[in-house]
Amino acid sequence: MAEEGSAFRSLGGAAGVWQRSLLIALTAIGALYLLDLHLLLGLVLLREQYLALILALTLGAAFLSIPTKRSSDGAPWYDWLLSFLGLIVGFYLLLFYPDLIYTLGELRFERMLLGVIALLLVTEATRRLMGWVMVALIGLLLLYARYADLVPGLLRSKGISWERLFTSLYISNDALLGTPLNVVGTVVVAFILFGRALYVVRGDR
């Protein structure tokens, strides 16, 4: 149930357990990665795989935690669907990224489809948090990337097909798996852990 005036909701029952599990896993996995636990265990984990896992958990939790309306009670079926789609697009990259890096230039239907889904999910999550202005900006930038060859003057550039655009935005390490998500998975997680540790030892007093 969403609290009065709150942009977030807290679910009860089994749904609440799943919601909290995603949020706890997001923080815990970030902490373990920053502590290089995978290296201590001899596991090879690319940075992009870690970021893909962060993306999956973030999208999975976002649609259960952020209602379309502030007065929304419970999570409707479409939010559950969006949540599981978020997990799918992230876990696909987590599992297959070591193979994807050797075929980044190949255009395959499943990659393009997952890229479209991932972009729509990120856009919808952004809309729920920041409103339609950011959605309009995202749409404008996508149109520019596709039709940059039609833009006059200094902004004129080479256009890119929709297939390659969605694939690149999904797989490339300078798009969804780029700097913003890297900052979330490292700096933001570190600050959250530090703040929580400070709170536990009552350092906030």
Side-chain angles (χ1 to χ4, degrees):
M1 177 179 296
E3 297 180 5
E4 184 94 20
S6 174
F8 301 93
R9 66 180 163 213
S10 179
L11 302 176
V17 173
W18 177 246
Q19 179 193 36
R20 290 189 291 273
S21 296
L22 290 175
L23 294 172
I24 292 172
L26 179 61
T27 306
I29 289 173
L32 295 177
Y33 181 83
L34 294 177
L35 293 173
D36 290 331
L37 181 63
H38 59 291
L39 297 180
L40 297 177
L41 296 177
L43 300 176
V44 177
L45 184 67
L46 299 176
R47 180 182 66 89
E48 289 81 5
Q49 288 179 284
Y50 164 67
L51 295 180
L53 183 54
I54 294 296
L55 177 66
L57 296 174
T58 300
L59 290 176
F63 291 107
L64 297 180
S65 304
I66 308 171
T68 55
K69 298 179 180 179
R70 292 180 183 270
S71 60
S72 175
D73 292 334
W77 65 269
Y78 53 82
D79 277 348
W80 282 101
L81 176 61
L82 295 176
S83 176
F84 281 112
L85 286 176
L87 293 174
I88 289 173
V89 298
F91 275 102
Y92 177 85
L93 292 176
L94 170 66
L95 296 175
F96 298 109
Y97 201 85
D99 297 325
L100 292 177
I101 59 178
Y102 295 107
T103 58
L104 287 177
E106 296 183 10
L107 297 179
R108 299 181 183 178
F109 176 76
E110 69 275 9
R111 299 180 187 179
M112 185 195 69
L113 177 60
L114 290 173
V116 171
I117 294 174
L119 183 61
L120 290 175
L121 291 175
V122 171
T123 303
E124 170 60 12
T126 302
R127 183 195 67 80
R128 294 189 183 192
L129 280 173
M130 307 182 69
W132 285 101
V133 173
M134 287 299 298
V135 174
L137 181 59
I138 292 173
L140 182 62
L141 292 175
L142 286 175
L143 289 174
Y144 172 73
R146 174 62 181 88
Y147 299 108
D149 55 323
L150 302 178
V151 178
L154 296 176
L155 294 178
R156 184 183 180 88
S157 182
K158 183 178 180 180
I160 182 174
S161 67
W162 287 118
E163 294 85 355
R164 190 168 297 280
L165 176 60
F166 290 128
T167 301
S168 298
L169 288 175
Y170 180 50
I171 297 176
S172 177
N173 59 9
D174 58 0
L176 282 182
L177 302 180
T179 301
L181 190 59
N182 187 42
V183 171
V184 171
T186 53
V187 178
V188 174
V189 170
F191 269 98
I192 291 175
L193 293 174
F194 176 77
R196 184 60 183 173
L198 194 64
Y199 176 78
V200 170
V201 299
R202 299 187 177 184
D204 59 330
R205 297 187 177 182

